[in-house]
């Protein structure tokens, strides 16, 4: 397939299947303090990575809508709303019992489900994710919410009893932390925003959430569901440029938790703006350069199919993607002989095209960046080893396998976050371990091999360098009950269905000495249902 064949994959308006046609959505309101506030100020146009041929024959990104670019004033109003709703822990939401909070969340999910078709379509149009993965992103998020609810019920059940130890009677429960600023990424704009937002809300915090630059409009249909499911001020949206709206919010010192899925550079900048760092908890998933190692005795069929998924699902735009492959010198040629054609065979197309695995890239300059890092490797003696690798047309980029990559090339260390796969040949496993030691990242790694001894020899050093070691399997976040975290510049805090509930809360205890008078007081409070915290109510 040459460039002009790639160009023909972009549709004309009348070739877009009717069910995925989109009328531009011009959002002129945002959620603040329980109201949909009207906006008549500046807006940002949303151009899809899906291009259409213009009258002059050039391919142009399709306009799919626009959203408000609010400023510092609106950001501080949203902050005030969240601070007031929290009211130092005395607000309606942080004081509400867990069962009632769960009921609000169930109302929300019901309303969210009504928007499924529109949100999935917007994921395809805004970030170019294929239909299967966009649908999976929505459904996985809904499942995550239900699993979070179930886990919270269990946690609450476990803390609905008193403990008597060393003459002290006490009850320990998890309490909210305060105001949470949540910022999601463009590659999982719904799922990764919600995997922080939802547990943060459920634990009784109040929220400011900033939509990502790409993948912003898809949040619009869900704002009304937030507005009508939770008390006012619990969920507030922040629209506009991060550089304008986020610094004043952080500098106020009123944010208690920063949760960000994005780059470590942005994380550093934001944390530093908070005047009282000890009061700020950060829960973040950041950069990663997950490496795979192919041992001499690896089953190459398994290695090829898992590396294919690991490097190129959603065009390699996953924080958990395998971003560099180390193959033993004795098998590297055979691996490339099988891997290269498998990569070239992946089907490019529009997100709705049946079986499309390579789809348009949302970041406007991404194809230039990818071409640059390939050229840098080529200048150092590497080549593209798969047929058609690197061919580009507008936002479509055919994945490129680049070999041999070495220290000194940008592809060796930089997180490319796209469809370029550097392959390194090694002779001694120690080279791979040294690579991980000297790398700034520490999220995951994959080992491909069949010899238990060789695999075990790598597992023990690797688990102290990264946070998940996958054996004969790609790197990935799921299942969502597994801990999702990283070392070094890759993460702060841990996410998973259960860990997230812990991350967005703190344990508080009520304790008294074991005397007759104190027991009578406790009994009176519990029997009279006089406290939400001090209670033995059991959620069924
Ligand atoms: O971008 C990072 C995502 O959390 C990856 O999730 O491994 O399930 O695709 P995934």
């Amino acid at each position: 397939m040459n460039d002009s064949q790639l160009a023909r994959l972009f549709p004309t308006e009348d070739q877009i299947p009717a069910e995925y046609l989109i009328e531009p959505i011009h959002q002129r309101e945002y959620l603040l303090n329980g109201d949909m506030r009207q906006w008549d100020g500046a807006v940002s146009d949303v151009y899809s990575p899906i291009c259409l041929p213009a009258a002059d024959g050039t391919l142009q990104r399709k306009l799919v809508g626009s959203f408000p670019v609010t400023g510092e004033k609106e950001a501080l109003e949203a902050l005030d709303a969240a601070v007031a709703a929290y009211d130092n822990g005395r607000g309606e939401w942080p004081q509400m019992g867990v069962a009632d909070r769960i009921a609000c969340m169930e109302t929300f999910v019901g309303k969210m489900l009504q928007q499924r078709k529109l949100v999935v379509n917007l994921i395809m149009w805004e970030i170019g994710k294929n239909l299967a993965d966009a649908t999976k992103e929505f459904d996985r998020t809904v499942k995550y919410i239900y699993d979070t609810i179930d886990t919270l019920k269990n946690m609450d059940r476990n803390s609905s009893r008193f403990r008597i130890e060393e003459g002290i009677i006490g009850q320990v429960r998890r309490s909210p932390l305060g105001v949470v600023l949540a910022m999601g990424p463009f590659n999982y704009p719904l799922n990764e925003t919600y995997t922080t937002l939802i547990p943060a809300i459920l634990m009784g915090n109040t929220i400011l959430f900033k939509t990502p630059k790409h993948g912003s409009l898809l949040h619009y249909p869900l704002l009304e569901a937030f507005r009508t499911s939770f008390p006012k001020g619990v969920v507030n949206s922040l629209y506009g440029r991060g550089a304008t709206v986020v610094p004043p919010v952080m500098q106020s010192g009123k944010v208690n938790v920063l949760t960000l899925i994005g780059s470590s550079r942005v994380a550093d900048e934001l944390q530093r703006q908070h005047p009282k760092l000890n009061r700020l908890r950060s829960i973040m998933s950041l950069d990663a350069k997950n490496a795979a190692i192919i041992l001499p005795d690896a089953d190459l069929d398994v290695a090829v199919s898992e590396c294919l998924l690991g490097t190129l699902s959603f065009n390699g735009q996953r924080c958990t993607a395998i971003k560099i492959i180390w193959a033993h010198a004795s098998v590297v040629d055979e691996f490339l002989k099988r891997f290269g054609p498998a990569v070239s065979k992946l089907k490019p197309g529009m997100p709705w095209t049946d079986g499309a695995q390579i789809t348009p890239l949302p970041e406007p300059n991404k194809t230039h960046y990818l071409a640059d890092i390939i050229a840098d490797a080529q200048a150092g003696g590497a080549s593209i080893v798969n047929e058609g690798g690197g061919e580009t047309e507008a936002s479509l980029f055919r994945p490129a396998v680049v070999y041999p990559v070495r220290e000194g090339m940008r592809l060796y260390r930089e997180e490319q976050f796209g469809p370029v796969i550097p392959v390194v040949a090694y002779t001694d496993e120690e080279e791979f371990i040294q690579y991980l030691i000297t790398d700034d990242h520490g999220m995951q790694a994959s080992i491909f091999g069949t010899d238990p001894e060789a695999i075990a020899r790598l597992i023990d050093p690797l688990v102290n360098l990264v946070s998940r070691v996958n054996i004969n399997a790609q790197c990935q976040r799921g299942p969502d009950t597994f801990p999702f975290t990283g070392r070094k510049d890759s993460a702060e805090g841990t996410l998973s269905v259960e860990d997230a509930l812990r991350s967005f809360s703190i344990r508080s205890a009520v304790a008294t000495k074991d005397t007759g008078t104190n027991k009578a007081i406790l009994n009176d409070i519990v029997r009279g249902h006089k406290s939400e915290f001090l209670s033995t109510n059991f959620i069924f």
Side-chain angles (χ1 to χ4, degrees):
M1 184 176 289
N2 59 34
D3 293 8
S4 61
Q5 285 172 306
L6 269 190
R8 282 200 288 276
L9 296 175
F10 290 101
T12 55
E13 193 87 39
D14 57 359
Q15 287 170 334
I16 302 168
E19 64 261 56
Y20 308 121
L21 265 175
I22 191 158
E23 270 306 311
I25 297 174
H26 294 293
Q27 177 183 349
R28 293 293 179 270
E29 55 185 3
Y30 58 97
L31 175 60
L32 195 151
N33 204 22
D35 293 325
M36 291 302 280
R37 292 274 173 97
Q38 293 306 305
W39 177 251
D40 56 12
V43 294
S44 178
D45 286 333
V46 178
Y47 286 98
S48 171
I50 299 168
C51 300
L52 270 52
D56 64 0
T58 59
L59 286 165
Q60 299 294 336
R61 289 175 174 248
K62 181 176 162 58
L63 181 74
V64 286
S66 55
F67 62 83
V69 179
T70 65
E72 179 171 342
K73 176 175 160 286
E74 293 74 23
L76 291 175
E77 279 174 359
L79 174 66
D80 286 347
V83 169
Y86 190 67
D87 190 16
N88 296 300
R90 298 164 72 193
E92 178 185 358
W93 187 246
Q95 285 290 318
M96 195 182 279
V98 169
D100 290 334
R101 276 193 238 137
I102 287 175
C104 292
M105 188 58 81
E106 284 169 343
T107 305
F108 172 78
V109 192
K111 293 178 180 180
M112 178 181 171
L113 281 165
Q114 292 166 15
Q115 302 297 333
R116 182 173 183 268
K117 188 164 183 271
L118 177 56
V119 174
V120 168
N121 206 22
L122 281 168
I123 295 177
M124 291 198 291
W125 278 100
E126 281 193 276
I127 61 160
K129 191 169 275 191
N130 70 29
L131 176 61
D133 287 346
T135 308
K136 190 164 139 203
E137 176 163 351
F138 188 96
D139 294 344
R140 175 181 178 181
T141 306
V142 169
K143 179 177 181 305
Y144 189 96
I145 300 176
Y146 283 124
D147 288 350
T148 303
I149 289 174
D150 283 346
T151 305
L152 178 57
K153 282 183 185 169
N154 260 328
M155 281 167 71
D156 193 75
R157 286 172 191 139
N158 292 336
S159 42
S160 68
R161 58 191 289 271
F162 284 84
R163 287 154 57 168
I164 307 179
E165 279 163 40
E166 298 176 25
I168 303 287
I169 308 177
Q171 188 170 23
V172 182
R173 285 185 183 279
R174 300 204 73 90
S175 308
L177 292 163
V179 173
V180 176
L181 171 60
M183 299 169 72
F186 83 78
N187 63 331
Y188 280 84
L190 180 75
N191 182 262
E192 293 222 299
T193 308
Y194 277 36
T195 54
T196 56
L197 200 64
I198 298 297
I201 296 173
L202 268 172
M203 292 315 285
N205 303 284
T206 61
I207 315 292
L208 295 172
F209 86 95
K210 155 98 182 61
T211 56
K213 188 164 159 205
H214 308 289
S216 194
L217 271 182
L218 62 94
H219 290 281
Y220 181 36
L222 302 169
L223 292 185
E224 184 63 11
F226 278 122
R227 190 184 77 77
T228 51
S229 305
F230 301 102
K232 74 170 190 170
V234 172
V235 183
N236 305 279
S237 59
L238 278 186
Y239 280 93
R241 302 205 163 76
T244 311
V245 296
V246 178
V249 167
M250 289 302 287
Q251 286 158 10
S252 73
K254 295 176 184 168
V255 170
N256 304 99
V257 186
L258 170 66
T259 179
L260 164 79
I261 316 282
S263 77
S264 61
R265 184 188 54 76
V266 171
D268 282 356
E269 279 169 20
L270 295 184
Q271 281 176 316
R272 283 207 195 104
Q273 308 218 0
H274 198 289
K276 302 213 176 202
L277 267 180
N278 292 338
R279 292 191 191 180
L280 181 72
R281 181 179 288 191
S282 299
I283 299 147
M284 311 198 278
S285 178
L286 306 169
D287 320 332
K289 182 91 177 174
N290 303 314
I293 181 164
I294 299 172
L295 299 172
D297 62 349
D299 178 331
L300 290 185
D301 288 336
V302 172
V304 165
S305 66
E306 288 294 316
C307 284
L308 207 56
L309 279 176
T311 54
L312 289 171
S313 299
F314 189 35
N315 311 295
Q317 301 168 117
R318 293 160 62 228
C319 51
T320 45
I322 293 175
K323 295 188 180 115
I324 188 162
I325 297 175
W326 287 64
H328 190 267
S330 63
V331 289
V332 69
D333 290 341
E334 183 58 27
F335 172 73
L336 288 172
K337 209 168 111 195
R338 299 191 204 181
F339 186 62
V343 167
S344 298
K345 235 192 266 162
L346 293 177
K347 181 173 172 180
M350 295 302 107
W352 53 78
T353 308
D354 197 22
Q357 289 143 312
I358 300 301
T359 51
L361 304 175
E363 293 171 288
N365 291 318
K366 193 63 184 237
T367 55
H368 296 125
Y369 165 77
L370 297 173
D372 281 354
I373 47 169
I374 291 175
D376 170 77
Q378 285 169 328
S383 324
I384 295 177
V385 297
N386 64 311
E387 200 190 323
E391 278 176 16
T392 308
E393 188 62 56
S395 53
L396 269 178
F397 187 97
R398 300 198 69 206
V401 182
V402 181
Y403 174 77
V405 166
R406 297 193 184 90
E407 178 78 276
M409 297 176 184
R410 289 171 60 191
L411 264 174
Y412 190 76
R413 293 288 183 187
E414 243 171 76
E415 180 182 13
Q416 67 274 32
F417 214 77
V420 175
I421 308 152
V423 179
V424 179
Y426 75 93
T427 46
D428 183 345
E429 285 159 21
E430 186 57 25
E431 296 167 53
F432 178 67
I433 294 175
Q434 285 303 320
Y435 173 76
L436 296 181
I437 290 174
T438 50
D439 197 45
D440 284 335
H441 312 93
M443 189 177 276
Q444 298 197 14
S446 290
I447 304 172
F448 292 95
T450 50
D451 172 10
E453 267 182 47
I455 294 173
R457 215 167 40 236
L458 278 169
I459 288 176
D460 290 355
L462 261 54
V463 287
N464 291 348
L465 291 167
V466 299
S467 292
R468 172 163 160 169
V469 175
N470 304 280
I471 299 169
N472 292 321
Q474 64 152 325
C475 300
Q476 63 180 45
R477 174 176 177 156
D480 286 326
T481 44
F482 273 40
F484 178 49
T485 183
R487 298 167 183 275
K488 297 192 254 184
D489 289 346
S490 285
E492 195 171 331
T494 302
L495 291 170
S496 77
V497 169
E498 186 173 348
D499 286 304
L501 290 169
R502 293 178 181 277
S503 294
F504 290 103
S505 61
I506 187 166
R507 293 205 298 170
S508 293
V510 174
T512 185
K513 291 195 172 159
D514 186 356
T515 66
T517 313
N518 289 337
K519 280 198 261 195
I521 292 172
L522 293 185
N523 267 327
D524 189 68
I525 294 173
V526 170
R527 287 200 186 124
H529 301 289
K530 292 176 180 165
S531 163
E532 277 296 345
F533 187 101
L534 210 64
S535 149
T536 53
N537 284 351
F538 192 87
I539 303 179
F540 289 100

